[in-house]
Each structure stands twice: as structure tokens, then as C-alpha cells.
Amino acid sequence: MRRLPLRRLVTLATLTAVGAATLGSTAACGDDSDGTGGSSGPVTLRLGYFPNITHAPAVVGLEKGIFAEKLGADVKLDPKTFNAGPAAIEAVFSGALDATYIGPNPTVNAFSKSKGEAVRVVSGAASGGVALVVKPGITGAQDLRGKKIATPQLGNTQDVAIRYWLKQQGLTTTKEGGGDVKIVPQENAQTIETFNSGAIDGAWVPEPFVSRLVNAGGKVLVDERDLWPDKKFVITNLLVSTKFLKAHPDVVQKLVDGQVAANEFVNTKPDEAQQAISDAIGKITGKPLDLKLIKQAWPTLEFTNDPIPSSLKAGLDHAVEVKLTDPVDLKGLYDLTYLNNALKAQGKPEVVQP
């Protein structure tokens, strides 16, 4: 079966981080398990995430010490940042990550490539926060003919979304950047520069890059929420390597407890959460994310522990239709036991296991 190959990591910084993590991975990949599903000594948990608003539970959970508190002194938390899903999945496959916040299409690709063995989704994190932003002169889909539109990475969730939407509008694309509309995969941060220079005519991206492009003179042509039932679709879920899950189910439970607590913080203390995101991104990039930008983007997102499996399945169907992957049997992808344990402990409604 032909499947879209996972792309190589796209920045030297990411390569360096993953390489260093791989060199030190032996003691942190479950080799200290006592063979009974528990942990016999200190465990390192390598956690991936993207430094952006759609990964707010991860950013806030790390910045406010929520994960560290839930994981306890016996677990060393080693966070790593990525630009797009395929790169994070490659890090999971290489043994450089144990868990990661990630979008649905790379999740499916990982499950498919490993024949359902390598990964499990243990929680949702966020819905929404994605749009197609274009130059002001573009007023409809047909105006995109011959134009160049950026996505974060070939085969990532937004890349699939725009290709499927364009096909629904009668417009073609190719993986090589041909067709009626030229799709140009590039890092989100680069997209602001290329939009300003005129090298691209728009981009299908997550927040805060939607708001950044709007502030750079673009306009929202498609709010992706409008394409989904009840305006809900998974943009970020929490995925764990099956190897780590089997070796350290106790650590995974604590991680999911942290995810639920982080979402509670994000939803009940939005001002503090927004400040934490600004501060955290400043530490990572050297420049805090403008609070006005975060507040501008915030209403387009819903932070939910429900992974919304129906939208992930629909996204897979879309990827098949645009020939970026083959059909995949998703049975076994979700293990929501840990999530429902955490929700039950908080007196919250449980999520139905697909």
C-alpha cells in the first residue's frame, strides 16, 4: 500500500534536539520497566508539543508546572518543541519521544505506518483555531486558481484540509506543488515573511499565524470551524507511544491527569493562561508572543479533553480522497481509559471510547 512518507525534520535546531534525545534514549524508553507494567526506578518522559496557541494545554501545563506537579518527583519531564506533526511522529518512531501533542492526520499516518502498533491517542486537547487567510483581492475559491498557498508541512492536518476543500471547489493540487492551486509547504514562521513579500497569496494555518496574517493585511476566506458539524473538529490530541504506555501506564495516567488539569486552568483562568503562553513562547523563540495577538486568536479555539474521534475519521477520509494516504482501519487507535479515570476523579462526564 502506498502511504505518504513521513518527512525529515525541517530545522537544524529540531535535528539537534532529536539527535541529542536519541543518544540518551536507552534509559528513557521503558528499559527500566520491571516487566509488570510499572516502573522500577526514575523515568524520563520526553514530551513533544508545538509552541503555539492550538497547543495551549501543553504550553500552559509546562509553563505553570502543572505536568511536573502531576508527574511527581519520580518522573523527569523532558519537553521538546516541533513545527509540524510529521516531524514529531518521526521523533516518536526514532525513539526520541515518548508522547506528543499533535494533529489528527499525522496521528493517522503514524498508526497506519506502524500497522496499528506504535501509538495510541489517550486524550484530546483542542478544537478549532484554523483558517485560510488570503490577499484582500481574493474573494472566492475560483480566485485561487494559479495562486500559491502555504501549509505547515506536506501531509499535515492543514495540508490535507486545504487540498480536500479545494477539490470540493473543483480545483486540483499535486504533492509536487502543481495543479490549479500551488500548495507550498513551509514553516509557519516563514509564512508571515513570504506573505508580506508576495511570494505566496495565502495560507491555511493554525493560530496564532491566522491572526498574524490578518494583521499583516490578509483576510479570512475560510474559517475551518464552518466546515464541521457543531463547528467542532480535533486540531490537537495527546498521543503516546505504545512502548512507553505498556512500560509505564502509571506515568501515562499522571500525564493525562496533567492534561485534564491544564485544560481546566486554560478554561477557568484564560488571562493567566494567555500570559503563560506569551511567556513560554518568549523563552523558546527569544520574543514573547504579543498578548493582543493571543486574545485575538483565543475565541476561535475550544480547549476540550474530548479527542472528537469522528472528526479524525473524517480527516482520514479527506486524506484518502486527495490521495495523500490509503484507507486505514483505525480500530485500536484510542485508549481513553486514562482520560476517563482523570475525568471521573474530577467529577466530569466521561468520554465514550470509539
Side-chain angles (χ1 to χ4, degrees):
M1 291 172 60
R2 290 175 54 253
R3 297 188 178 89
L4 179 68
L6 297 175
R7 297 284 299 273
R8 297 304 302 167
L9 299 181
V10 294
T11 67
L12 180 58
T14 303
L15 281 166
T16 302
V18 172
T22 304
L23 288 173
S25 64
T26 303
C29 286
D31 293 337
D32 57 349
S33 169
D34 59 12
T36 64
S39 305
S40 60
V43 178
T44 296
L45 170 62
R46 284 89 43 90
L47 178 64
Y49 70 104
F50 306 172
N52 63 34
I53 300 175
T54 59
H55 286 226
V59 178
V60 172
L62 289 165
E63 181 69 14
K64 303 300 290 187
I66 296 171
F67 289 133
E69 178 184 351
K70 294 295 184 181
L71 289 168
D74 291 336
V75 179
K76 178 184 176 183
L77 184 58
D78 183 10
K80 303 182 183 301
T81 61
F82 294 85
N83 174 67
I89 289 299
E90 184 165 334
V92 172
F93 278 4
S94 74
L97 276 185
D98 304 306
T100 188
Y101 284 83
I102 198 164
N105 285 90
T107 297
V108 170
N109 286 344
F111 191 72
S112 171
K113 186 175 181 180
S114 67
K115 296 180 169 51
E117 295 295 326
V119 297
R120 295 291 182 268
V121 172
V122 293
S123 178
S127 167
V130 181
L132 170 60
V133 182
V134 296
K135 296 290 187 181
I138 297 173
T139 60
Q142 294 307 314
D143 291 337
L144 295 172
R145 193 179 297 272
K147 299 294 193 294
K148 292 183 179 180
I149 304 295
T151 64
Q153 193 167 3
L154 177 64
N156 97 312
T157 303
Q158 288 79 52
D159 191 71
V160 169
I162 188 171
R163 292 174 191 274
Y164 177 75
W165 180 79
L166 288 169
K167 185 174 182 181
Q168 297 301 106
Q169 311 306 312
L171 297 168
T172 62
T173 63
T174 71
K175 288 185 284 187
E176 297 74 26
D180 295 328
V181 182
K182 321 299 181 185
I183 303 299
V184 185
Q186 58 188 227
E187 290 190 35
N188 289 326
Q190 181 186 358
T191 294
I192 309 301
E193 180 182 337
T194 53
F195 184 79
N196 283 331
S197 71
I200 60 170
D201 302 287
W204 194 296
V205 287
E207 289 287 10
F209 300 99
V210 171
S211 295
R212 280 179 165 171
L213 289 169
V214 169
N215 294 347
K219 70 173 185 179
V220 173
L221 184 65
V222 179
D223 182 333
E224 193 173 339
R225 292 178 297 173
D226 295 335
L227 306 180
W228 293 92
D230 301 321
K231 294 192 173 186
K232 296 179 184 292
F233 65 99
V234 60
I235 182 60
T236 309
N237 50 216
L238 177 56
L239 176 146
V240 177
S241 87
T242 308
K243 181 178 179 180
F244 189 88
L245 181 63
K246 289 179 178 177
H248 306 293
D250 53 334
V251 178
V252 172
Q253 182 63 67
K254 293 173 183 178
L255 173 63
V256 176
D257 290 345
Q259 154 58 32
V260 172
N263 253 358
E264 180 73 11
F265 188 101
V266 166
N267 286 314
T268 59
K269 300 178 180 179
D271 290 340
E272 288 186 51
Q274 291 161 12
Q275 184 65 60
I277 291 168
S278 176
D279 293 343
I281 291 176
K283 293 174 185 177
I284 294 166
T285 66
K287 183 180 180 181
L289 187 59
D290 188 345
L291 268 175
K292 291 182 180 178
L293 192 69
I294 298 174
K295 292 182 182 299
Q296 179 180 343
W298 205 256
T300 70
L301 283 150
E302 178 183 353
F303 300 104
T304 173
N305 299 305
D306 186 346
I308 319 175
S310 61
S311 69
L312 181 137
K313 175 60 169 64
L316 168 61
D317 294 341
H318 299 167
V320 171
E321 188 161 336
V322 298
K323 303 186 187 306
L324 285 180
T325 191
D326 293 317
V328 180
D329 182 356
L330 297 177
K331 184 178 180 180
L333 172 60
Y334 293 90
D335 185 349
L336 303 183
T337 305
Y338 306 93
L339 174 59
N340 283 328
N341 287 342
L343 294 173
K344 186 176 181 180
Q346 296 291 323
K348 299 178 184 294
E350 297 182 22
V351 175
V352 177
Q353 175 82 34

